[in-house]
């Protein structure tokens, strides 16, 4: 079986593009983000490299959430789940980068099987909208 230079070049290009899309976009999310609203139920959120997210309200921290993102969609889909004392909680969300240091996240609570396709236009009890700034 003979492999031509064009095929090797194409495979390398494909691998490079896939690697860039998976890792570089995800890496934009990593780090600690702060919500500047005084009386919010989430003041900080930290996304770690091992797909762990920690939510904080003041000094209280959540148990570690496992999160998965889908950067192929706009807005980005984010699924988070946590298990504590045998009880599993799942949060579905949408995420949008306003710029490299500011994100908008809407978390949907309740019995959603999948995320809505767009951010809510009205406040409702089934979702919460947050604006977070990257903590530098």
């Amino acid at each position: 079986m003979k492999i031509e230079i064009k095929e090797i070049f194409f495979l390398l290009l494909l691998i490079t593009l896939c690697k860039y899309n998976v890792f570089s976009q995800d890496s934009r999310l990593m780090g600690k983000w702060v919500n500047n609203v005084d009386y919010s139920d989430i003041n900080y959120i930290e996304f770690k490299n091992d797909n762990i997210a920690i939510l904080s309200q003041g000094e209280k921290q959540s148990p570690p959430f496992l999160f998965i993102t889908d950067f192929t969609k706009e807005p980005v889909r984010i699924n988070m789940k946590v298990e504590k004392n045998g009880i599993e909680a799942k949060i579905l969300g949408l995420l949008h980068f306003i710029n490299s240091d500011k994100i908008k996240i809407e978390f949907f609570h309740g019995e959603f099987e999948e995320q809505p396709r767009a951010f809510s236009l009205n406040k409702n009890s089934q979702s919460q909208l947050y604006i977070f700034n990257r903590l530098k």
Side-chain angles (χ1 to χ4, degrees):
M1 185 161 126
K2 194 174 182 182
I3 299 178
E4 292 186 25
I5 297 292
K6 288 181 186 179
E7 292 172 326
I8 292 172
F9 177 76
F10 177 76
L11 287 173
L12 288 174
L13 179 64
L14 183 64
I15 290 168
T16 302
L17 289 175
C18 288
K19 186 175 180 181
Y20 176 79
N21 284 335
V22 171
F23 295 109
S24 68
Q25 290 182 342
D26 254 318
S27 67
R28 294 184 306 161
L29 186 59
M30 299 306 140
K32 197 166 187 177
W33 299 81
V34 61
N35 181 353
N36 291 326
V37 176
D38 288 336
Y39 299 104
S40 175
D41 54 347
I42 301 175
N43 300 111
Y44 295 94
I45 187 166
E46 183 174 6
F47 295 101
K48 299 183 178 191
N49 286 330
D50 51 0
N51 286 11
I52 297 292
I54 305 291
L55 310 178
S56 300
Q57 181 184 33
E59 297 297 318
K60 298 179 199 169
Q61 284 192 341
S62 72
F65 279 84
L66 210 67
F67 76 92
I68 298 170
T69 53
D70 182 355
F71 279 90
T72 64
K73 297 186 171 75
E74 180 58 39
V76 175
R77 297 340 188 232
I78 182 166
N79 295 341
M80 298 173 57
K81 72 177 183 177
V82 65
E83 187 174 326
K84 186 172 181 182
N85 300 329
I87 299 172
E88 185 178 273
K90 185 168 75 169
I91 299 174
L92 303 178
L94 298 174
L95 181 143
H96 173 72
F97 281 88
I98 296 169
N99 60 44
S100 62
D101 292 325
K102 186 179 277 193
I103 56 174
K104 175 169 76 170
I105 298 179
E106 186 169 13
F107 289 126
F108 298 90
H109 310 283
E111 298 299 318
F112 288 93
E113 291 298 318
E114 61 184 48
Q115 289 93 339
R117 295 174 189 247
F119 288 96
S120 300
L121 298 176
N122 303 324
K123 281 188 167 185
N124 65 57
S125 63
Q126 295 290 325
S127 71
Q128 300 237 318
L129 184 66
Y130 303 95
I131 303 293
F132 290 99
N133 295 299
R134 184 183 302 278
L135 194 63
K136 295 182 179 185

